Amino acid sequence: MRVLSIQSCVSYGHVGNSAAVFPLQRLGHEVMPVHTVVFSNHTGYGAWGGQLISGDVVRDIVKGIDERGGLDDVELVLSGYQGGNDIGDAILEAVALVKDRNPQAIYACDPVLGSAKSGCFVAPEVQTLIRDRVVPQADLITPNQFELGFITGTDPHTLEETLTSVDLVRAEGPSTVLVTSVFRPDRPEDTIEMLAVTDDGAWIVQTPQLPFKRNGSGDVAAALFSSHFRSSGDPAKALGRTAASVYELLRNTFEADSRELLLIESQEAYVAPQTTFEVRQVR
């Protein structure tokens, strides 16, 4: 499968394209990364070098790919953090161009807005961009529970509340939703869940919650689920494989006490995870 991935890039560590591209390649996919920033490291360190890439540069790169015939067989377009309208417009134009070349292609958007702990950490311009313009154009979105609530103007906590919020966002455009980092108040202690919803139903998977967080894990989850779902069309299978792979990646990183994801060292987890988790249909 050929994938166009329009995301940020860092040289040190793994976020954005620097997190998503290798796992997809390890699964055998042809990935064409287009970078929206080129930084030394992710901004969580407080200092970094590099620069933002303009929307015009992104357009120029996509145009060059198209002139080589590279968009003709793209089946999946991925996007992550979007810094403003300039990049957002360039991504939406790229999606439209890909779908013109291949109407079977899907657009998977990770609507990066914030988290329950940190709140919304993007500018008001980006909030409006994601909620009002990008999400309605996406076929598949991968918000966390906080982002799902922000997009829909709700505050989901229980499973039923989360499903209701998913229904609201699906009515706006995206037919498939993966909710990452679901924290139900009645879940067993030290667990975390992911929820996938399509026209065919809803499925949930529960894994142990490791007592730490690492930047980039959401980028990996979004890339893996989107590619598994596009390849198989089976949301339950895609959910189970994604949960197992991401858990093993995070477990390896936690056990090594690494500041960055052990993305390369964990490569077998993407193709043949050793752990399995029950995927349960809830609707």
Side-chain angles (χ1 to χ4, degrees):
M1 179 169 65
R2 187 179 294 271
V3 180
L4 180 67
S5 183
I6 310 177
Q7 302 195 55
S8 59
C9 172
V10 296
S11 297
Y12 178 82
H14 302 289
V15 298
N17 272 335
S18 304
V21 171
F22 177 71
L24 293 174
Q25 291 173 329
R26 190 64 180 82
L27 286 167
H29 302 306
E30 181 68 47
V31 187
M32 300 184 295
V34 177
H35 304 323
T36 56
V37 307
V38 284
F39 285 170
S40 56
N41 51 269
H42 68 71
T43 58
Y45 284 94
W48 62 92
Q51 63 180 8
L52 302 170
I53 305 300
S54 72
D56 283 341
V57 171
V58 170
R59 291 182 183 91
D60 198 40
I61 293 171
V62 172
K63 177 183 176 183
I65 295 171
D66 187 42
E67 289 172 347
R68 308 285 85 75
L71 300 184
D72 294 353
D73 57 349
V74 168
E75 296 183 49
L76 173 64
V77 182
L78 289 174
S79 75
Y81 172 75
Q82 299 185 25
N85 286 326
D86 184 42
I87 287 295
D89 287 339
I91 291 173
L92 291 176
E93 289 168 23
V95 170
L97 186 57
V98 167
K99 290 192 172 187
D100 181 68
R101 302 294 184 261
N102 177 17
Q104 302 306 310
I106 69 169
Y107 171 35
C109 168
D110 185 8
V112 180
L113 293 166
S115 67
K117 287 187 177 181
S118 63
C120 193
F121 53 61
V122 301
E125 171 190 343
V126 179
Q127 298 170 23
T128 302
L129 167 71
I130 295 294
R131 183 187 61 233
D132 299 341
R133 298 179 55 218
V134 175
V135 166
Q137 296 298 316
D139 302 292
L140 186 161
I141 61 171
T142 58
N144 59 38
Q145 199 171 22
F146 168 83
E147 290 162 340
L148 174 67
F150 188 92
I151 292 167
T152 57
T154 61
D155 186 25
H157 294 281
T158 68
L159 177 58
E160 286 305 316
E161 289 170 346
T162 304
L163 287 168
T164 298
S165 297
V166 170
D167 289 342
L168 289 173
V169 77
R170 290 182 70 242
E172 296 299 317
S175 58
T176 302
V177 177
L178 172 72
V179 187
T180 62
S181 306
V182 174
F183 295 102
R184 290 188 295 139
D186 58 342
R187 74 189 190 283
E189 189 176 0
D190 298 324
T191 64
I192 189 171
E193 294 169 317
M194 288 196 290
L195 173 73
V197 183
T198 71
D199 291 339
D200 297 323
W203 295 263
I204 200 165
V205 63
Q206 186 177 96
T207 71
Q209 182 185 7
L210 296 167
F212 82 137
K213 179 184 181 299
R214 287 296 179 264
N215 295 80
S217 58
D219 301 320
V220 175
L224 290 178
F225 179 82
S226 299
S227 64
H228 288 324
F229 180 69
R230 183 65 184 88
S231 297
S232 69
D234 186 331
K237 180 179 178 181
L239 181 62
R241 288 196 62 182
T242 300
S245 297
V246 172
Y247 174 74
E248 288 188 16
L249 167 63
L250 288 173
R251 185 190 63 196
N252 293 344
T253 302
F254 176 73
E255 291 176 350
D257 193 25
S258 173
R259 177 68 177 80
E260 293 287 345
L261 293 174
L262 294 187
L263 192 82
I264 309 304
E265 297 87 338
S266 302
Q267 59 184 282
E268 290 303 317
Y270 317 134
V271 293
Q274 299 301 301
T275 311
T276 58
F277 298 102
E278 179 187 8
V279 177
R280 181 168 57 93
Q281 187 163 7
V282 292
R283 192 169 69 185

